[in-house]
Amino acid sequence: MRICFPGGARYSQQLDTTSAKKFKALSQLGDLFVIGFSLDLRPRYFVEHAHFYLLPKWSLPVMRYLTMFTVGPWLVLRLIWRHGVRVLIAKSPYEGLAAAWAKVIACWFACHVVLIVESHGDFEESLFLQRRVAIATLYRFLMRAAAGFALRHADLLRAVSTSTQEQLQRWAPGKPVVRFVTWTDIEVFLEAGTHDGVRQPEIVYAGVLIPRKGVHHLIHAFHRIAPDFRAAQLVIIGRDDNPEYAAGLRATVRQLGLDGRVHFLGGVPQGELARWMGRAQVFVLPSYSEGLPRVVFEAMAAGMPVIATRVSGIPDIVQQDMTGFLVPCGDEAALIERLRWVLAHPAEANSLGQRARDFARTFFQPRSTWTTIGGS
């Protein structure tokens, strides 16, 4: 089988450890072809468990979309005709537009191709929670048209959570939906959670720095509890996907006098993230919208209790008062209350973390994490 993955993901040459492990596992399915973006303006082609065709990463998101929508279909068609690709797997309905166009054109020439469109989050609203969008009404119209075209031409849909499954079923009623979680290198996090040492009074956030993640609420909540927990530290891990927002977070830290207690680490490799999660007291994800965030079950696998917002697929995996706590979006008072409890009750918090780790270990047993709805 020859499979193409067109999408907006960014890859380095050579692959990072986690991506290499993922594509090595996937290569058992057959020959893999990946269309994505490089980490700079230089297009690249290389082979590492898959054939990677990387487009230049323009600084403006709209330029990346235009590149994928104009160059992407022809690159997919080339793989169909020259290399015999017959399965296309797009990571979102928008990225599915390029694959859908390629499928339509291939069908004109009696070449049958199967298209699978995935959804990893709320594809209707999440973009508008990430950054300011000029001419938002027009942008929303174009996005809906692109998503609708891709979903109409899809043969199979894949969701990662209950909420993404329900959204796909609203958009494409009657189409088969397969649900299973995003792949992750879970072993490194399970191993990080094996130590029996005392956890540090550290609060960890991991994820890109964009408004949708609600990191500003976490900083304000930490400011309120910091005087009562002098040893507590806030560790913010993730790249600046919205430079204006990230700069605002750092300015807030300075204005609140939290220099030396709030640490911005930027993006880190999975192994380093696992080490932070293996030593810290609690993981917090104060998002406004998610799919089924991989970072939550990574934290759980590392033995951390989770405080997260009650949105999207998060309630699928975080059990209230059993493996962590769910709070309303933007409710800093609720977040403060839960942070105080965790830091004031480290033994009980560790018990929550161990239950979270047991859940994650069971949850990731082979074939235990997917469900087929309406067909196969």
Side-chain angles (χ1 to χ4, degrees), residues 153-164:
H153 289 88
D155 300 284
L156 179 69
L157 307 177
R158 180 243 171 148
V160 298
S161 67
T162 301
S163 61
T164 54

Side-chain angles (χ1 to χ4, degrees), residues 225-343:
I225 67 169
D228 299 325
F229 299 94
R230 295 291 183 179
Q233 304 283 308
L234 173 58
V235 180
I236 298 174
I237 301 172
R239 65 178 187 270
D240 299 357
D241 264 22
N242 184 321
E244 180 182 357
Y245 179 70
L249 294 178
R250 291 179 171 87
T252 298
V253 168
R254 290 193 297 271
Q255 291 164 6
L256 296 176
L258 294 174
D259 288 319
R261 298 193 64 181
V262 178
H263 311 276
F264 292 88
L265 301 190
V268 301
Q270 290 290 85
E272 185 175 345
L273 176 60
R275 286 192 291 274
W276 277 104
M277 288 182 169
R279 58 173 273 171
Q281 189 68 64
V282 63
F283 177 79
V284 181
L285 187 67
S287 296
Y288 283 91
S289 176
E290 292 286 348
L292 186 67
R294 180 176 63 188
V295 71
V296 168
F297 44 78
E298 290 171 344
M300 295 172 74
M304 300 183 80
V306 173
I307 302 173
T309 43
R310 191 182 286 104
V311 299
S312 310
I314 293 175
D316 287 355
I317 54 174
V318 177
Q319 299 167 289
Q320 181 72 21
D321 300 323
M322 290 294 294
T323 59
F325 304 107
L326 298 170
V327 297
C329 291
D331 190 336
E332 292 180 9
L335 183 54
I336 289 166
E337 179 185 356
R338 294 307 188 182
L339 286 172
R340 282 188 184 279
W341 186 91
V342 168
L343 292 173

Side-chain angles (χ1 to χ4, degrees), residues 1-6 23 25-35 49-53 75-76 79-80 83-90 99 113-116 118:
M1 185 163 55
R2 294 181 176 179
I3 307 169
C4 176
F5 297 85
F23 284 105
L26 285 172
S27 67
Q28 299 176 38
L29 299 174
D31 295 331
L32 308 181
F33 301 83
V34 179
I35 300 173
H49 307 301
H51 300 262
F52 285 84
Y53 297 81
L75 187 50
V76 173
L79 297 176
I80 291 171
H83 296 282
V85 166
R86 291 296 179 267
V87 178
L88 308 176
I89 303 177
V113 177
V114 173
L115 172 60
I116 301 170
E118 303 180 339

Side-chain angles (χ1 to χ4, degrees), residues 193-204:
T194 59
H195 77 87
D196 296 324
V198 176
R199 287 183 175 264
Q200 302 301 309
E202 294 167 346
I203 302 161
V204 169

Side-chain angles (χ1 to χ4, degrees), residues 35 38 62 70 98 106-107 110 160 198 217 244 317 319 363 367 371 375:
I35 300 173
S38 67
V62 67
T70 55
C107 286
V160 298
V198 176
H217 295 304
E244 180 182 357
I317 54 174
Q319 299 167 289
F363 191 66
R367 301 188 63 83
T371 307

